[in-house]
Amino acid sequence: MTLALKDVELRVGAETHVYPTRLELAARGFNILLGPTLAGKTSLMRLMAGLLRPTAGEIRFDGHDVTAVPVQKRRVAMVYQQFINYPHLSVFENIASPLRVERVPGSQVKSRVGRIAELLRLNALLDRRPSELSGGQQQRTALARALVKDANLVLLDEPLANLDYKLREGLRDELPRLFADRDCTVVYATTEPAEALLLGGHTATVDEGRITQFGETSSVYRRP
């Protein structure tokens, strides 16, 4: 799925959070939003997801205007840097929650959760509650919930930022493998140029609500 922002702008009162932006992102590979904290990366992601409505411009999925389509009617999954899991549910039910909302039959829920849990090495933890998990296990649970949904747009908003160095390195190495066979557009926000380079794909640099550069990640890294 291609994702296109056509002169998308976001104003809140007298403040401009996202200046008019034109950007086209393709499926396969990572699309990186690289910039400092408060640069506008999260605002761009929330616009892409449908959590915010742009003040001006259009958002298109595969050429179709979805600007006014509410988030619950889009096939979108989002993972934040905080460990957002339901504390009263088991790991299995946390992962299964979007499938329950979509009323997927129970047999399919079990097989889809099992497949994603195996991919993310969560098989032995499915009966545990989030409070019984390490930070890395909690974030893998959040990733599993995003992946099980079979979304055509996956937004990862600094998903590894709150992990220690070793856990961050391990999960970052896993991410390209997790999305290698999925026909979806992946957008990944980070403040770290080295992380963008490791993930590859294409990078848009973001600063004060503006896209300042866009291209293959290696080219952006060499010629900032």
Side-chain angles (χ1 to χ4, degrees):
M1 184 202 77
T2 58
L3 166 66
L5 306 185
K6 304 288 188 181
D7 298 314
V8 167
E9 183 178 6
L10 177 65
R11 295 191 302 272
V12 179
E15 294 185 357
T16 300
H17 288 207
V18 175
Y19 287 86
T21 297
R22 296 182 68 86
L23 186 65
E24 186 163 322
L25 306 177
R28 304 286 183 178
F30 279 80
N31 298 283
I32 313 295
L33 298 180
L34 172 64
T37 301
L38 301 178
K41 303 185 300 297
T42 297
S43 293
L44 280 167
M45 284 190 156
R46 289 172 65 83
L47 286 164
M48 294 172 186
L51 294 167
L52 293 175
R53 183 83 174 266
T55 309
E58 293 181 354
I59 298 171
R60 292 182 171 270
F61 288 179
D62 282 338
H64 300 289
D65 186 356
V66 297
T67 310
V69 176
V71 63
Q72 61 269 26
K73 293 188 177 181
R74 304 187 191 189
R75 289 172 55 200
V76 174
M78 191 163 182
V79 178
Y80 299 89
Q81 61 179 280
Q82 299 88 358
F83 308 139
I84 300 178
N85 292 304
Y86 300 110
H88 61 292
L89 296 180
S90 67
V91 170
F92 181 97
E93 288 300 335
N94 263 282
I95 299 171
S97 57
L99 304 181
R100 303 290 193 202
V101 171
E102 294 174 2
R103 300 185 183 278
V104 174
S107 59
Q108 291 185 34
V109 170
K110 186 175 181 179
S111 64
R112 286 170 66 173
V113 170
R115 188 164 61 248
I116 293 298
E118 182 176 2
L119 195 63
L120 282 163
R121 302 196 306 277
L122 292 167
N123 311 57
L125 307 174
L126 291 175
D127 292 330
R128 296 190 187 181
R129 298 289 177 90
S131 60
E132 301 174 284
L133 304 178
S134 68
Q137 291 165 346
Q138 288 194 53
Q139 196 63 318
R140 289 211 303 274
T141 300
L143 279 168
R145 190 168 60 249
L147 290 171
V148 81
K149 192 177 178 181
D150 195 26
N152 56 21
L153 174 62
V154 179
L155 303 165
L156 306 173
D157 190 3
E158 299 187 47
L160 311 182
N162 287 335
L163 302 179
D164 65 41
Y165 178 80
K166 187 174 181 180
L167 287 172
R168 189 164 64 244
E169 290 286 293
L171 270 178
R172 187 164 54 209
D173 290 344
E174 287 182 9
L175 285 172
R177 176 178 61 85
L178 294 176
F179 290 101
D181 298 323
R182 300 179 73 89
D183 187 21
C184 63
T185 301
V186 181
V187 184
Y188 187 103
T190 181
T191 61
E192 301 178 20
E195 185 169 58
L197 186 62
L198 286 168
L199 291 171
H202 290 77
T203 289
T205 55
V206 187
D207 188 37
E208 296 184 346
R210 292 180 171 88
I211 301 291
T212 57
Q213 190 177 4
F214 179 69
E216 291 187 3
T217 299
S218 56
S219 297
V220 171
Y221 190 84
R222 287 196 304 269
R223 294 186 292 275

